[in-house]
Amino acid sequence: MFFKLPWFKRTKKDNYHDTQVLEMDFLVDEFHEAMADIKDPIRTRMHAALVCCQSPKDLWFLRGKLFNLISKHHCENEANRRVARLDQKLRFFVDHHPDHTSEELPSGPMALLH
């Protein structure tokens, strides 16, 4: 005979609502970290654009510029590595944030192709 024990039906739900990973600043910091070792006037303009970002969609449009900046000063492989890390954090953010969904991003669900 099988009994339904109360602790078997409990599922652990991750509660990220009050953590740093669900703040836009966390994503902006990842942009800054990805281009920290690059000295270029475009980097200054990207910093200014990052200050104006208000949603993940705004950050999504800056991904391409970030990729071009990194590949210009390093190589395409390094740009792929850094942007893939950013993609993972963006995906986590939109999947777990109560106010944002992955459908609001231009490409729909972000596939990690890197």
Side-chain angles (χ1 to χ4, degrees):
M1 178 178 268
F2 295 100
F3 297 102
K4 291 186 177 181
L5 299 173
W7 55 84
F8 283 138
K9 65 180 176 180
R10 286 187 203 161
T11 58
K12 183 180 177 186
K13 292 184 180 179
D14 296 327
N15 189 6
Y16 300 108
H17 301 296
D18 57 347
T19 63
Q20 179 190 9
V21 296
L22 291 182
E23 295 179 13
M24 283 290 290
D25 292 339
F26 179 72
L27 297 174
V28 172
D29 288 345
E30 186 61 35
F31 267 90
H32 289 300
E33 188 177 318
M35 59 182 174
D37 61 341
I38 298 171
K39 303 294 182 213
D40 192 296
I42 295 173
R43 178 182 174 211
T44 307
R45 283 186 254 149
M46 293 242 344
H47 282 292
L50 286 169
V51 171
C52 298
C53 288
Q54 297 179 356
S55 72
K57 185 177 181 179
D58 298 337
L59 294 175
W60 179 258
F61 286 121
L62 290 176
R63 274 180 77 252
K65 293 181 189 228
L66 178 67
F67 180 86
N68 290 337
L69 180 67
I70 296 168
S71 60
K72 176 182 171 185
H73 290 276
H74 293 290
C75 65
E76 188 174 339
N77 188 33
E78 181 65 17
N80 279 328
R81 187 183 67 77
R82 293 183 189 190
V83 172
R85 181 177 168 167
L86 177 65
D87 284 348
Q88 289 175 341
K89 293 187 178 186
L90 267 168
R91 179 180 198 131
F92 181 86
F93 182 84
V94 296
D95 286 346
H96 292 92
H97 199 282
D99 299 332
H100 300 287
T101 63
S102 59
E103 289 84 30
E104 73 185 54
L105 295 173
S107 66
M110 289 183 283
L112 299 176
L113 300 175
H114 303 285

